[in-house]
Short mmCIF file of all heavy atoms in Angstrom, two decimals:
data_model
loop_
_atom_site.label_atom_id
_atom_site.label_comp_id
_atom_site.label_asym_id
_atom_site.label_seq_id
_atom_site.Cartn_x
_atom_site.Cartn_y
_atom_site.Cartn_z
N ALA A 1 -58.72 -78.07 20.09
CA ALA A 1 -59.90 -78.52 19.35
C ALA A 1 -59.55 -78.94 17.93
O ALA A 1 -60.19 -79.82 17.37
CB ALA A 1 -60.96 -77.42 19.34
N LYS A 2 -58.55 -78.30 17.35
CA LYS A 2 -58.13 -78.61 15.99
C LYS A 2 -56.92 -79.53 15.94
O LYS A 2 -56.44 -79.86 14.86
CB LYS A 2 -57.81 -77.32 15.23
CG LYS A 2 -58.99 -76.40 15.06
CD LYS A 2 -58.60 -75.14 14.30
CE LYS A 2 -59.79 -74.22 14.12
NZ LYS A 2 -59.42 -72.97 13.40
N ASN A 3 -56.44 -79.95 17.11
CA ASN A 3 -55.25 -80.80 17.19
C ASN A 3 -54.10 -80.21 16.37
O ASN A 3 -53.44 -80.90 15.59
CB ASN A 3 -55.56 -82.22 16.71
CG ASN A 3 -56.24 -83.05 17.77
OD1 ASN A 3 -56.47 -82.61 18.89
ND2 ASN A 3 -56.59 -84.28 17.42
N THR A 4 -53.87 -78.93 16.56
CA THR A 4 -52.86 -78.22 15.78
C THR A 4 -51.91 -77.46 16.69
O THR A 4 -52.33 -76.80 17.64
CB THR A 4 -53.51 -77.25 14.78
OG1 THR A 4 -54.38 -77.98 13.91
CG2 THR A 4 -52.45 -76.55 13.95
N LEU A 5 -50.64 -77.57 16.38
CA LEU A 5 -49.58 -76.87 17.09
C LEU A 5 -49.00 -75.80 16.17
O LEU A 5 -48.86 -76.02 14.97
CB LEU A 5 -48.50 -77.85 17.52
CG LEU A 5 -47.36 -77.33 18.39
CD1 LEU A 5 -47.84 -77.08 19.81
CD2 LEU A 5 -46.19 -78.33 18.38
N TYR A 6 -48.64 -74.65 16.74
CA TYR A 6 -48.11 -73.55 15.95
C TYR A 6 -46.77 -73.08 16.51
O TYR A 6 -46.49 -73.20 17.70
CB TYR A 6 -49.06 -72.36 15.95
CG TYR A 6 -50.45 -72.67 15.46
CD1 TYR A 6 -51.48 -72.93 16.35
CD2 TYR A 6 -50.73 -72.70 14.09
CE1 TYR A 6 -52.76 -73.21 15.91
CE2 TYR A 6 -52.01 -72.99 13.65
CZ TYR A 6 -53.02 -73.24 14.56
OH TYR A 6 -54.29 -73.53 14.11
N LEU A 7 -45.98 -72.52 15.62
CA LEU A 7 -44.76 -71.84 16.03
C LEU A 7 -44.72 -70.51 15.28
O LEU A 7 -44.55 -70.48 14.06
CB LEU A 7 -43.51 -72.66 15.70
CG LEU A 7 -42.19 -72.03 16.16
CD1 LEU A 7 -42.11 -72.02 17.69
CD2 LEU A 7 -40.99 -72.77 15.57
N GLN A 8 -44.90 -69.43 16.02
CA GLN A 8 -44.80 -68.09 15.45
C GLN A 8 -43.35 -67.63 15.54
O GLN A 8 -42.81 -67.51 16.63
CB GLN A 8 -45.72 -67.12 16.20
CG GLN A 8 -45.68 -65.70 15.66
CD GLN A 8 -46.22 -65.59 14.25
OE1 GLN A 8 -47.30 -66.09 13.96
NE2 GLN A 8 -45.48 -64.94 13.38
N MET A 9 -42.76 -67.41 14.40
CA MET A 9 -41.37 -66.98 14.32
C MET A 9 -41.32 -65.52 13.91
O MET A 9 -41.88 -65.13 12.89
CB MET A 9 -40.60 -67.84 13.31
CG MET A 9 -40.71 -69.33 13.54
SD MET A 9 -40.06 -70.33 12.17
CE MET A 9 -38.35 -69.82 12.16
N SER A 10 -40.64 -64.71 14.69
CA SER A 10 -40.50 -63.30 14.38
C SER A 10 -39.03 -62.90 14.49
O SER A 10 -38.23 -63.57 15.12
CB SER A 10 -41.36 -62.44 15.32
OG SER A 10 -40.97 -62.62 16.67
N SER A 11 -38.71 -61.77 13.85
CA SER A 11 -37.33 -61.28 13.84
C SER A 11 -36.35 -62.40 13.49
O SER A 11 -35.32 -62.58 14.14
CB SER A 11 -36.97 -60.67 15.20
OG SER A 11 -37.84 -59.60 15.53
N VAL A 12 -36.67 -63.12 12.45
CA VAL A 12 -35.87 -64.29 12.09
C VAL A 12 -34.48 -63.87 11.63
O VAL A 12 -34.28 -62.78 11.10
CB VAL A 12 -36.56 -65.14 11.01
CG1 VAL A 12 -37.86 -65.71 11.55
CG2 VAL A 12 -36.82 -64.32 9.75
N LYS A 13 -33.54 -64.76 11.84
CA LYS A 13 -32.15 -64.55 11.50
C LYS A 13 -31.67 -65.65 10.57
O LYS A 13 -32.26 -66.73 10.54
CB LYS A 13 -31.29 -64.54 12.77
CG LYS A 13 -31.72 -63.53 13.82
CD LYS A 13 -30.88 -63.69 15.08
CE LYS A 13 -31.31 -62.69 16.14
NZ LYS A 13 -30.51 -62.84 17.38
N PRO A 14 -30.61 -65.40 9.82
CA PRO A 14 -30.08 -66.45 8.93
C PRO A 14 -29.78 -67.75 9.66
O PRO A 14 -29.95 -68.83 9.09
CB PRO A 14 -28.81 -65.81 8.37
CG PRO A 14 -29.11 -64.36 8.36
CD PRO A 14 -29.90 -64.12 9.62
N GLU A 15 -29.35 -67.67 10.92
CA GLU A 15 -29.05 -68.87 11.68
C GLU A 15 -30.28 -69.67 12.06
O GLU A 15 -30.17 -70.78 12.60
CB GLU A 15 -28.23 -68.54 12.94
CG GLU A 15 -28.83 -67.44 13.79
CD GLU A 15 -28.20 -66.08 13.53
OE1 GLU A 15 -27.99 -65.73 12.35
OE2 GLU A 15 -27.92 -65.36 14.50
N ASP A 16 -31.46 -69.13 11.79
CA ASP A 16 -32.70 -69.87 12.02
C ASP A 16 -32.99 -70.83 10.87
O ASP A 16 -33.93 -71.63 10.96
CB ASP A 16 -33.88 -68.92 12.20
CG ASP A 16 -33.79 -68.09 13.47
OD1 ASP A 16 -33.31 -68.61 14.49
OD2 ASP A 16 -34.21 -66.92 13.44
N THR A 17 -32.23 -70.73 9.81
CA THR A 17 -32.42 -71.61 8.67
C THR A 17 -32.23 -73.06 9.08
O THR A 17 -31.18 -73.43 9.61
CB THR A 17 -31.44 -71.25 7.55
OG1 THR A 17 -31.71 -69.93 7.07
CG2 THR A 17 -31.56 -72.22 6.38
N ALA A 18 -33.24 -73.87 8.84
CA ALA A 18 -33.20 -75.28 9.24
C ALA A 18 -34.47 -75.97 8.79
O ALA A 18 -35.43 -75.34 8.36
CB ALA A 18 -33.05 -75.41 10.76
N MET A 19 -34.46 -77.28 8.90
CA MET A 19 -35.68 -78.06 8.76
C MET A 19 -36.32 -78.09 10.14
O MET A 19 -35.68 -78.48 11.12
CB MET A 19 -35.38 -79.47 8.26
CG MET A 19 -36.61 -80.32 8.03
SD MET A 19 -37.53 -79.82 6.55
CE MET A 19 -36.48 -80.52 5.27
N TYR A 20 -37.57 -77.69 10.21
CA TYR A 20 -38.29 -77.65 11.47
C TYR A 20 -39.23 -78.84 11.59
O TYR A 20 -40.05 -79.08 10.70
CB TYR A 20 -39.06 -76.34 11.61
CG TYR A 20 -38.17 -75.18 11.97
CD1 TYR A 20 -37.29 -74.64 11.03
CD2 TYR A 20 -38.18 -74.63 13.25
CE1 TYR A 20 -36.45 -73.60 11.36
CE2 TYR A 20 -37.35 -73.58 13.58
CZ TYR A 20 -36.48 -73.06 12.63
OH TYR A 20 -35.64 -72.02 12.96
N TYR A 21 -39.11 -79.56 12.69
CA TYR A 21 -39.89 -80.76 12.93
C TYR A 21 -40.83 -80.60 14.11
O TYR A 21 -40.46 -80.02 15.13
CB TYR A 21 -38.97 -81.96 13.21
CG TYR A 21 -38.05 -82.33 12.08
CD1 TYR A 21 -36.77 -81.80 12.01
CD2 TYR A 21 -38.45 -83.23 11.11
CE1 TYR A 21 -35.91 -82.15 10.98
CE2 TYR A 21 -37.60 -83.59 10.08
CZ TYR A 21 -36.33 -83.04 10.02
OH TYR A 21 -35.48 -83.40 9.00
N CYS A 22 -42.01 -81.13 13.95
CA CYS A 22 -42.96 -81.20 15.03
C CYS A 22 -42.81 -82.55 15.73
O CYS A 22 -42.49 -83.55 15.08
CB CYS A 22 -44.38 -81.05 14.48
SG CYS A 22 -45.71 -81.13 15.70
N ALA A 23 -43.00 -82.57 17.03
CA ALA A 23 -42.86 -83.80 17.79
C ALA A 23 -43.97 -83.94 18.82
O ALA A 23 -44.46 -82.95 19.35
CB ALA A 23 -41.50 -83.85 18.50
N ALA A 24 -44.34 -85.17 19.07
CA ALA A 24 -45.31 -85.50 20.12
C ALA A 24 -44.67 -86.52 21.04
O ALA A 24 -44.26 -87.59 20.60
CB ALA A 24 -46.60 -86.04 19.52
N ILE A 25 -44.59 -86.18 22.31
CA ILE A 25 -43.92 -87.02 23.29
C ILE A 25 -44.93 -87.44 24.35
O ILE A 25 -45.41 -86.59 25.11
CB ILE A 25 -42.74 -86.28 23.94
CG1 ILE A 25 -41.81 -85.73 22.87
CG2 ILE A 25 -41.99 -87.18 24.90
CD1 ILE A 25 -40.77 -84.75 23.38
N PRO A 26 -45.26 -88.71 24.42
CA PRO A 26 -46.29 -89.16 25.36
C PRO A 26 -45.77 -89.58 26.72
O PRO A 26 -44.70 -90.19 26.83
CB PRO A 26 -46.91 -90.36 24.63
CG PRO A 26 -45.75 -90.95 23.89
CD PRO A 26 -44.88 -89.77 23.48
N GLY A 27 -46.52 -89.24 27.74
CA GLY A 27 -46.36 -89.84 29.05
C GLY A 27 -45.11 -89.56 29.85
O GLY A 27 -44.84 -90.25 30.83
N ARG A 28 -44.35 -88.52 29.49
CA ARG A 28 -43.12 -88.23 30.23
C ARG A 28 -43.07 -86.82 30.79
O ARG A 28 -41.99 -86.34 31.17
CB ARG A 28 -41.91 -88.47 29.34
CG ARG A 28 -41.65 -89.94 29.01
CD ARG A 28 -40.30 -90.11 28.35
NE ARG A 28 -40.33 -89.77 26.93
CZ ARG A 28 -39.25 -89.49 26.20
NH1 ARG A 28 -38.05 -89.48 26.77
NH2 ARG A 28 -39.37 -89.22 24.91
N GLY A 29 -44.20 -86.18 30.86
CA GLY A 29 -44.24 -84.82 31.34
C GLY A 29 -43.76 -83.84 30.30
O GLY A 29 -43.47 -84.21 29.16
N CYS A 30 -43.66 -82.59 30.70
CA CYS A 30 -43.26 -81.55 29.76
C CYS A 30 -42.53 -80.45 30.52
O CYS A 30 -43.03 -79.95 31.54
CB CYS A 30 -44.48 -80.98 29.04
SG CYS A 30 -44.11 -80.15 27.48
N GLY A 31 -41.39 -80.08 30.04
CA GLY A 31 -40.59 -79.03 30.66
C GLY A 31 -39.38 -78.72 29.81
O GLY A 31 -39.29 -79.15 28.66
N THR A 32 -38.44 -78.00 30.38
CA THR A 32 -37.23 -77.66 29.63
C THR A 32 -36.46 -78.90 29.21
O THR A 32 -35.79 -78.90 28.18
CB THR A 32 -36.32 -76.74 30.45
OG1 THR A 32 -36.01 -77.35 31.71
CG2 THR A 32 -37.01 -75.41 30.72
N LEU A 33 -36.59 -79.97 29.99
CA LEU A 33 -35.91 -81.21 29.65
C LEU A 33 -36.43 -81.80 28.35
O LEU A 33 -35.73 -82.54 27.67
CB LEU A 33 -36.05 -82.22 30.79
CG LEU A 33 -35.12 -83.44 30.78
CD1 LEU A 33 -33.66 -83.00 30.83
CD2 LEU A 33 -35.46 -84.35 31.95
N SER A 34 -37.67 -81.45 28.00
CA SER A 34 -38.28 -81.96 26.78
C SER A 34 -37.56 -81.46 25.53
O SER A 34 -37.76 -82.00 24.45
CB SER A 34 -39.75 -81.56 26.72
OG SER A 34 -40.46 -81.99 27.86
N LEU A 35 -36.75 -80.42 25.67
CA LEU A 35 -35.99 -79.87 24.55
C LEU A 35 -34.62 -80.51 24.40
O LEU A 35 -33.89 -80.21 23.45
CB LEU A 35 -35.83 -78.36 24.72
CG LEU A 35 -37.13 -77.55 24.82
CD1 LEU A 35 -36.83 -76.09 25.11
CD2 LEU A 35 -37.95 -77.70 23.56
N ASP A 36 -34.28 -81.36 25.33
CA ASP A 36 -33.00 -82.05 25.32
C ASP A 36 -33.13 -83.32 24.47
O ASP A 36 -33.85 -84.24 24.83
CB ASP A 36 -32.59 -82.40 26.74
CG ASP A 36 -31.19 -83.00 26.84
OD1 ASP A 36 -30.69 -83.56 25.85
OD2 ASP A 36 -30.61 -82.92 27.94
N MET A 37 -32.43 -83.36 23.36
CA MET A 37 -32.53 -84.51 22.46
C MET A 37 -32.09 -85.81 23.12
O MET A 37 -32.60 -86.87 22.79
CB MET A 37 -31.75 -84.27 21.18
CG MET A 37 -32.46 -83.41 20.16
SD MET A 37 -34.04 -84.15 19.60
CE MET A 37 -33.48 -85.72 18.95
N ASN A 38 -31.15 -85.73 24.04
CA ASN A 38 -30.72 -86.94 24.75
C ASN A 38 -31.86 -87.52 25.57
O ASN A 38 -32.03 -88.74 25.65
CB ASN A 38 -29.52 -86.63 25.65
CG ASN A 38 -28.26 -86.36 24.86
OD1 ASN A 38 -28.04 -86.94 23.80
ND2 ASN A 38 -27.42 -85.48 25.38
N TRP A 39 -32.65 -86.65 26.18
CA TRP A 39 -33.82 -87.09 26.92
C TRP A 39 -34.91 -87.61 25.98
O TRP A 39 -35.52 -88.64 26.23
CB TRP A 39 -34.36 -85.95 27.79
CG TRP A 39 -35.60 -86.30 28.55
CD1 TRP A 39 -35.68 -86.92 29.76
CD2 TRP A 39 -36.94 -86.03 28.16
NE1 TRP A 39 -36.98 -87.06 30.14
CE2 TRP A 39 -37.79 -86.53 29.17
CE3 TRP A 39 -37.52 -85.42 27.04
CZ2 TRP A 39 -39.18 -86.42 29.10
CZ3 TRP A 39 -38.90 -85.32 26.97
CH2 TRP A 39 -39.70 -85.82 28.00
N VAL A 40 -35.13 -86.89 24.91
CA VAL A 40 -36.15 -87.27 23.94
C VAL A 40 -35.89 -88.67 23.40
O VAL A 40 -36.81 -89.49 23.29
CB VAL A 40 -36.22 -86.26 22.78
CG1 VAL A 40 -37.14 -86.77 21.68
CG2 VAL A 40 -36.69 -84.91 23.29
N ARG A 41 -34.66 -88.96 23.09
CA ARG A 41 -34.29 -90.23 22.50
C ARG A 41 -34.42 -91.42 23.44
O ARG A 41 -34.41 -92.57 22.99
CB ARG A 41 -32.85 -90.16 21.97
CG ARG A 41 -32.69 -89.31 20.73
CD ARG A 41 -31.26 -88.86 20.55
NE ARG A 41 -30.32 -89.96 20.69
CZ ARG A 41 -29.02 -89.80 20.94
NH1 ARG A 41 -28.51 -88.59 21.09
NH2 ARG A 41 -28.23 -90.86 21.04
#
């Protein structure tokens, strides 16, 4: 309803340090493959 996506991060570690980006991928389904940058590109 608010067109908002969230990421709750807990027990964070130093290796979590990064720039975090939100993405919207249309028309290609959604699954573990969606996390593959080669597929995304």
Side-chain angles (χ1 to χ4, degrees):
K2 297 180 180 179
N3 280 358
T4 302
L5 185 73
Y6 304 97
L7 183 68
Q8 180 65 49
M9 307 169 62
S10 61
S11 302
V12 296
K13 304 175 180 179
E15 51 262 44
D16 293 324
T17 296
M19 183 73 76
Y20 283 72
Y21 298 92
C22 180
I25 307 169
R28 290 191 280 161
C30 201
T32 56
L33 195 60
S34 304
L35 302 175
D36 186 337
M37 280 299 302
N38 290 326
W39 178 85
V40 172
R41 288 159 49 199

